[in-house]
Amino acid sequence: MDLGLDVSERNGYTVLAVRGEVDVYTAPRFRERLIELVSEGKHRIIIDLEGVDFLDSTGLGVLVGGLKRLRSHDGDLLLVCTQSRILKVFEITGLTKVFSIYDSVDDAVGAAS
Amino acid sequence: MDLGLDVSERNGYTVLAVRGEVDVYTAPRFRERLIELVSEGKHRIIIDLEGVDFLDSTGLGVLVGGLKRLRSHDGDLLLVCTQSRILKVFEITGLTKVFSIYDSVDDAVGAAS
Amino acid sequence: MIDERAVQLEIPAGAEFVALARLVVSAMASAETQLSDDRVDDLKIAVSEACTNAIEAHDALETDERVLVQCWADDDHLEVRIEDRGTGFDVSNLPEHPPVTDPERLKFERGLGIPLIRALVDEVEFASSGEGTAVRLVMRHDEELDGNGLRP
Amino acid sequence: MIDERAVQLEIPAGAEFVALARLVVSAMASAETQLSDDRVDDLKIAVSEACTNAIEAHDALETDERVLVQCWADDDHLEVRIEDRGTGFDVSNLPEHPPVTDPERLKFERGLGIPLIRALVDEVEFASSGEGTAVRLVMRHDEELDGNGLRP
Ligand SMILES: Nc1ncnc2c1ncn2[C@@H]1O[C@H](COP(=O)(O)OP(=O)(O)O)[C@@H](O)[C@H]1O
Ligand SMILES: Nc1ncnc2c1ncn2[C@@H]1O[C@H](COP(=O)(O)OP(=O)(O)O)[C@@H](O)[C@H]1O
């Protein structure tokens, strides 16, 4: 199963675009990439979930872990997601209150700066 | 599993466009539709396989049966197929020698008239 | 017990096989015209959570027992059973997490699976012992839900 | 006998479940980076043929026994076993069809399944008795084929 992880830069933010299915099998790669970015000094990260086909609690765990790690560096983690089936898992778990979720990378960058 | 069977008319030919997977489960519907057309007096039929995602020997059986039925009415059965994975099963079974296979419905109509 | 029309998938307790369980259940569920795509998606998540837990419970034991996923469609519902031979657990005694508004909440990257399952399916039942765990998930057909919503 | 890393799918002997067998095998085969998409497609057809035969062999008996599909990846090949509890048959004694150039050929709408299986997979083995039939399909990794092509 493929998990796509593409990194780009945008207005001082690092954008990590995730593609494919995030579950117990693929989450470790996602987690490692995120930790790698943080340790490279990228402390303002946008995670673009628009290409994600599936995400369960393992994926939520990676995001929560990432947010915690970035906060401890006074950094920021923003999410981009408009897919209702993905937003639903954030809503059920109450994580919409923990994350800032935007409709597009542009919106996220705009709101933050 | 969905099998799409769309009928249209084209230059005196009846075109049956098949979509989806043709296997032991869906073939009976395909076979019935074909028999129906023949008994409605449609004796010049083009079967368009371009929308077919999967076809095994059960599907080949429906086509052979259709050709036999049409020939007994002095009719004609032409196939449209460009997908190599579908053409492959015709080649292996030698049925490329039995059927006239065209690249498009236009080609089939053109070659026949 | 298991319906003779059930489909059964047996997978090794490895993370790479959870996607296969989702695939089989979602193919079965999609064939049920009375379940909307949204509800098939919900069921996929619940199955993924239950299989993930099953596999983690096997990891803990370092056993090479396998995980069983059974799925069948009844007149008015679709049922999925996920069975493992892992450690077992006490479902009535799971740790409580701080509310999401509490900054402490961020300490918890886990423990979201069972709450998700409960929210996403119409019925869930856990049967767990030292021998392993069986999770039963039920999705009632949408027609039924639109009607009187009685349990079968 | 069956590898502990095998995935096993058990389906009722109904035509509607053949698609599920194709789905599972093709997901397993696609995960094998050494098998090209074309060869995964070939394997799907072979599995479909074998499952169709298995189900028809059960129909003949009017039994509600189930069909077993096992699939596992080895170092250098992918292996699929399809087992039924149907009538069994004598694979060395199948009817011969007239050549395709003969107009008589059109009398035969059937009997294309086993020739297709033989042409599409790298190795096939039938074991059949009054108890039922087991078909073993092997797809060797493309690397292996590019090399000396020795059987494992
Ligand atoms: N099948 C199972 N076997 C053993 N323990 C389980 C099983 N399912 C759940 N548990 C226990 O319940 C806890 C909570 O599960 P869950 O809500 O899915 O969150 P998580 O798996 O992220 O911890 C797990 O950590 C585990 O201890
Ligand atoms: N699993 C099986 N159990 C019993 N008989 C079988 C089985 N597979 C094949 N056969 C027999 O071999 C014949 C040829 O099979 P095949 O080449 O697939 O063509 P078809 O199924 O279209 O007849 C079948 O008609 C059947 O009699």
Side-chain angles (χ1 to χ4, degrees):
Chain A
M1 195 172 38
D2 276 346
L3 183 78
L5 293 168
D6 295 319
V7 177
S8 57
E9 295 291 330
R10 181 80 149 270
N11 284 37
Y13 269 87
T14 301
V15 181
L16 178 58
V18 187
R19 270 178 305 102
E21 308 200 5
V22 186
D23 73 354
V24 63
Y25 180 55
T26 60
R29 260 175 291 159
F30 180 20
R31 183 181 293 111
E32 274 163 37
R33 194 77 190 87
L34 200 51
I35 292 177
E36 225 171 65
L37 289 175
V38 178
S39 60
E40 285 166 10
K42 319 282 191 195
H43 294 165
R44 285 153 57 97
I45 296 183
I46 296 172
I47 298 185
D48 181 353
L49 299 172
E50 291 296 83
V52 169
D53 303 312
F54 179 85
L55 184 129
D56 64 14
S57 73
T58 325
L60 295 178
V62 174
L63 296 172
V64 170
L67 181 60
K68 191 167 64 177
R69 193 171 289 261
L70 281 167
R71 291 227 172 126
S72 75
H73 286 88
D74 283 322
D76 211 357
L77 182 88
L78 310 179
L79 302 183
V80 174
C81 181
T82 61
Q83 297 188 70
S84 59
R85 58 178 173 172
I86 309 281
L87 287 172
K88 188 169 185 173
V89 300
F90 285 91
E91 275 151 23
I92 292 170
T93 52
L95 290 173
T96 38
K97 300 201 188 71
V98 174
F99 288 103
S100 308
I101 305 180
Y102 297 93
D103 282 356
S104 67
V105 173
D106 281 338
D107 278 5
V109 169
S113 43
Chain B
M1 194 172 39
D2 277 344
L3 183 77
L5 294 167
D6 296 318
V7 178
S8 57
E9 296 291 329
R10 182 81 150 267
N11 284 36
Y13 269 86
T14 301
V15 181
L16 178 59
V18 187
R19 269 178 305 102
E21 308 199 4
V22 187
D23 73 354
V24 63
Y25 181 56
T26 60
R29 260 173 291 159
F30 181 21
R31 184 181 293 113
E32 274 162 37
R33 193 77 190 88
L34 200 50
I35 292 177
E36 225 170 65
L37 290 175
V38 178
S39 59
E40 285 167 9
K42 319 281 192 195
H43 294 165
R44 286 153 57 97
I45 296 183
I46 296 172
I47 298 186
D48 181 351
L49 299 173
E50 291 296 82
V52 169
D53 304 312
F54 179 86
L55 184 128
D56 64 14
S57 74
T58 326
L60 295 177
V62 174
L63 296 172
V64 171
L67 181 60
K68 191 167 63 177
R69 194 172 287 262
L70 282 166
R71 292 227 173 127
S72 75
H73 287 87
D74 283 322
D76 211 357
L77 182 87
L78 310 179
L79 301 183
V80 174
C81 181
T82 61
Q83 296 187 71
S84 59
R85 58 177 173 173
I86 309 282
L87 288 171
K88 188 169 185 175
V89 301
F90 286 91
E91 275 152 22
I92 292 170
T93 54
L95 290 173
T96 37
K97 300 201 188 72
V98 174
F99 288 103
S100 309
I101 305 181
Y102 298 92
D103 281 357
S104 67
V105 173
D106 281 339
D107 278 4
V109 170
S113 44
Chain C
M1 188 80 161
I2 150 166
D3 193 288
E4 70 177 34
R5 298 302 287 169
V7 160
Q8 179 170 307
L9 178 74
E10 202 186 291
I11 51 174
E16 65 270 43
F17 296 105
V18 174
L20 203 60
R22 288 197 301 269
L23 192 70
V24 167
V25 171
S26 90
M28 290 282 291
S30 301
E32 286 298 299
T33 44
Q34 290 110 318
L35 276 187
S36 68
D37 290 353
D38 277 0
R39 296 187 16 96
V40 173
D41 282 341
D42 291 350
L43 181 60
K44 268 175 77 173
I45 295 174
V47 167
S48 198
E49 300 296 347
C51 288
T52 301
N53 286 343
I55 283 166
E56 286 174 346
H58 282 241
D59 277 356
L61 285 184
E62 295 187 50
T63 153
D64 57 10
E65 297 264 13
R66 296 148 65 83
V67 174
L68 225 64
V69 182
Q70 296 168 337
C71 182
W72 67 97
D74 222 319
D75 284 345
D76 54 4
H77 69 279
L78 189 87
E79 192 162 330
V80 184
R81 260 177 88 89
I82 296 101
E83 267 182 56
D84 68 57
R85 300 244 152 223
T87 49
F89 74 117
D90 182 359
V91 71
S92 62
N93 195 20
L94 291 174
E96 289 268 343
H97 295 332
V100 283
T101 40
D102 187 331
E104 284 292 296
R105 178 65 189 74
L106 278 189
K107 289 206 180 127
F108 300 91
E109 295 171 29
R110 312 202 32 148
L112 298 173
I114 290 176
L116 268 173
I117 296 177
R118 292 197 188 284
L120 291 169
V121 301
D122 291 329
E123 227 177 288
V124 54
E125 217 176 88
F126 295 90
S128 197
S129 73
E131 307 277 283
T133 301
V135 182
R136 183 173 157 267
L137 308 175
V138 173
M139 280 307 233
R140 282 191 291 275
H141 290 167
D142 293 341
E143 274 188 351
E144 182 79 9
L145 285 182
D146 287 341
N148 55 23
L150 287 179
R151 306 208 160 191
Chain D
M1 188 80 164
I2 150 168
D3 193 287
E4 70 177 35
R5 300 300 288 169
V7 160
Q8 178 170 306
L9 178 74
E10 202 186 292
I11 50 174
E16 66 269 44
F17 297 104
V18 175
L20 202 60
R22 288 198 301 270
L23 191 70
V24 166
V25 171
S26 91
M28 290 282 291
S30 301
E32 286 298 298
T33 43
Q34 290 110 317
L35 276 187
S36 68
D37 290 354
D38 277 0
R39 296 186 17 95
V40 173
D41 281 342
D42 291 350
L43 181 61
K44 267 175 77 172
I45 295 175
V47 167
S48 198
E49 300 296 347
C51 288
T52 301
N53 286 343
I55 283 166
E56 286 173 346
H58 281 241
D59 277 357
L61 285 185
E62 295 185 50
T63 154
D64 56 10
E65 296 264 12
R66 297 149 64 83
V67 174
L68 225 65
V69 181
Q70 296 167 339
C71 182
W72 67 98
D74 221 319
D75 284 344
D76 54 4
H77 70 280
L78 189 87
E79 192 163 330
V80 184
R81 258 177 88 90
I82 297 99
E83 266 183 56
D84 67 58
R85 300 243 150 225
T87 50
F89 74 116
D90 182 359
V91 71
S92 62
N93 195 22
L94 291 174
E96 288 268 342
H97 296 331
V100 283
T101 41
D102 188 330
E104 284 293 295
R105 178 63 188 76
L106 278 188
K107 289 204 180 130
F108 301 90
E109 295 171 30
R110 312 202 31 148
L112 298 173
I114 290 176
L116 268 172
I117 296 177
R118 291 197 189 285
L120 291 169
V121 302
D122 291 330
E123 226 177 288
V124 54
E125 216 176 89
F126 295 90
S128 198
S129 74
E131 308 278 282
T133 301
V135 182
R136 183 172 157 269
L137 310 174
V138 173
M139 280 307 233
R140 282 191 291 274
H141 289 167
D142 293 340
E143 273 187 351
E144 183 77 8
L145 285 181
D146 288 341
N148 55 25
L150 286 180
R151 305 210 162 189

